[in-house]
Amino acid sequence: MHEEEHQEISELCGALQRSANARAVMLVDRNGQFITSHGEVEHLDLTSLASLTAGNMAATSGLARLMGEKEFPNIFHEGEKDHLHLSIVGQRAILVVMFDRRSSLGLVRLRVKQTTVLLNGVFEAMQTRSEKSTPQSPLAGVTDAEIDNLFK
């Protein structure tokens, strides 16, 4: 991920935090690596939160497969004061929205759906750029017969 792509992703997460009136928004990859966050995160252990989020999503995906579903792309955890909404973005990241009574599940779902479309566009552009910049193998265009001839 290049700096400008990280900046774009970070700005989208910041816009989601404001438009959903959420306490915090985080993006982590499916392996549990923290990518970015916005909002009230100074009191959170972001490394642990990222790892636990990936584990939670992996466990839920296992449950989905047991039930014959491909995946449960959204998870909602309701707490006494705070709530978490987790959603898969582009099959590679997990968007975490922490909110309280200042927002609502409906508003969070709406804003997450809108932001997911934008994040998917960023991830697709990253994938396209990555595929174009992949260096060609030094053995490309060399046949087995040519290699065998070198050792005769």
Side-chain angles (χ1 to χ4, degrees):
M1 180 182 305
H2 290 189
E3 180 60 31
E4 57 271 3
E5 295 158 343
H6 185 271
Q7 182 66 31
E8 187 175 0
I9 289 170
S10 183
E11 288 172 6
L12 289 171
C13 289
L16 172 61
Q17 189 254 330
R18 290 184 297 278
S19 67
N21 204 23
R23 288 187 57 204
V25 171
M26 290 150 278
L27 188 69
V28 301
D29 75 10
R30 290 190 80 162
N31 295 320
Q33 297 295 313
F34 173 80
I35 297 174
T36 189
S37 66
H38 276 271
E40 303 168 22
V41 296
E42 56 279 344
H43 66 287
L44 297 173
D45 178 353
L46 295 175
T47 303
S48 295
L49 185 64
S51 296
L52 292 170
T53 296
N56 187 342
M57 194 58 83
T60 302
S61 293
L63 286 172
R65 284 190 297 275
L66 286 174
M67 296 178 60
E69 292 286 332
K70 181 179 175 188
E71 193 163 51
F72 293 137
N74 299 297
I75 301 172
F76 173 62
H77 294 284
E78 183 174 6
E80 199 171 297
K81 295 183 297 184
D82 294 314
H83 318 296
L84 284 176
H85 184 276
L86 313 175
S87 57
I88 296 173
V89 179
Q91 297 301 317
R92 63 172 55 195
I94 304 166
L95 188 59
V96 181
V97 179
M98 184 171 62
F99 63 100
D100 57 19
R101 65 177 174 218
R102 293 177 289 177
S103 188
S104 69
L105 180 58
L107 179 62
V108 168
R109 283 183 172 159
L110 174 68
R111 299 302 189 205
V112 163
K113 189 173 184 176
Q114 295 168 336
T115 302
T116 297
V117 170
L118 300 172
L119 287 171
N120 280 335
V122 174
F123 288 138
E124 288 171 8
M126 287 171 48
Q127 181 69 31
T128 301
R129 182 187 45 77
S130 175
E131 290 170 358
K132 287 181 179 176
S133 66
T134 302
Q136 191 174 26
S137 168
L139 298 177
V142 177
T143 65
D144 288 342
E146 291 172 326
I147 293 173
D148 288 343
N149 284 336
L150 291 174
F151 299 102
K152 288 184 180 178

